[in-house]
Amino acid sequence: MRVKGKITQWDDDKGFGFIQPMLKATSKVERVFLHAKALQNRSRRPQVGEVVTYSMAKDQQGRSQAKGVTFAGEKQLVKSARATGSWPLKVVLLFFLLLAGACWFGKLHYYVLAGYAGLSLLTFIAYASDKQKAKNGRWRTPEATLQLMALIGGWPGALLGQSWLRHKSKKMAFLRVLWCCVLLNSALLIGVLWQPAILQLLVG
C-alpha cells in the first residue's frame, strides 16, 4: 500500500531524514525513516516540507522505513530485476584481458596490471565500506576520495561497486565525474602504450 507523507527532516550530507505520514486517523503516527537510496529520483534532493508517496518496509531492527519514494507529481517506477545488467562486469573483464595482452606482448610491464588490480580492489572495498556507513548513518567517505581512486586506476572496481552493490549508481552528477575519470585514465594508458617514455617519466 502506498502512503502519502511530508518530509519533516533531511540531512543531505548524511543522505537520510524522516517522513511524517499524512493519515486521517486522529492517533499520533510515528515518523518514518527515509534514506537517499529509497528515492526513485535520486537526481533530485529532498527538501523539508515536500510531499512524497512511499511504501512501508522494515529494517533489520524492525524499524519502519520508506521505500520506493516518489515526489508529488512523479509516477512510481517498476524496477527491473536486471536493472543494470552485466555490462560493467563485461567491460572490466575486457579491460583486464586487453591489459594482460599488452603485458604479454611487452607493451606494458606486469606491475601496471597488478597496479590496476590492486587499486580496483581497494576502490571496490571503499564503495562497500561507504554503503555500510550509509546504512548505519555514520560519517561517509567523501565523493572526491572515491573519484580520485577511480582516476588513478581504480575505476574498474568503481564500476563493479556500482553494479554489484547498487551504490552511487543513480546520482547523475557523480556518474558524470566518474566517467570523466575513466576517460582521462584510459587516455593516459593509451598514451603510455604509444609512447612508453611517458610511463618512465611518471615513475621517475
Side-chain angles (χ1 to χ4, degrees), residues 30 67 93 111 115 157 173:
E30 293 185 357
K67 69 175 184 179
L93 288 176
Y111 62 71

Side-chain angles (χ1 to χ4, degrees), residues 27-39:
S27 58
K28 184 178 180 180
V29 181
E30 293 185 357
R31 59 183 186 171
V32 179
F33 180 75
L34 166 64
H35 194 278
K37 66 181 181 181
L39 299 169

Side-chain angles (χ1 to χ4, degrees), residues 170-200:
K170 299 295 183 181
K171 192 173 180 180
M172 297 307 300
F174 182 89
L175 292 176
R176 283 193 290 267
V177 175
L178 174 62
W179 281 107
C180 286
C181 293
V182 173
L183 293 175
L184 286 172
N185 181 268
S186 300
L188 178 60
L189 180 60
I190 293 172
V192 168
L193 286 170
W194 284 100
Q195 297 292 335
I198 296 178
L199 181 60
Q200 296 177 1

Side-chain angles (χ1 to χ4, degrees), residues 39-51:
L39 299 169
Q40 291 199 351
N41 181 5
R42 298 187 189 180
S43 63
R44 175 179 173 183
R45 310 313 293 169
Q47 301 293 329
V48 173
E50 282 192 295
V51 175

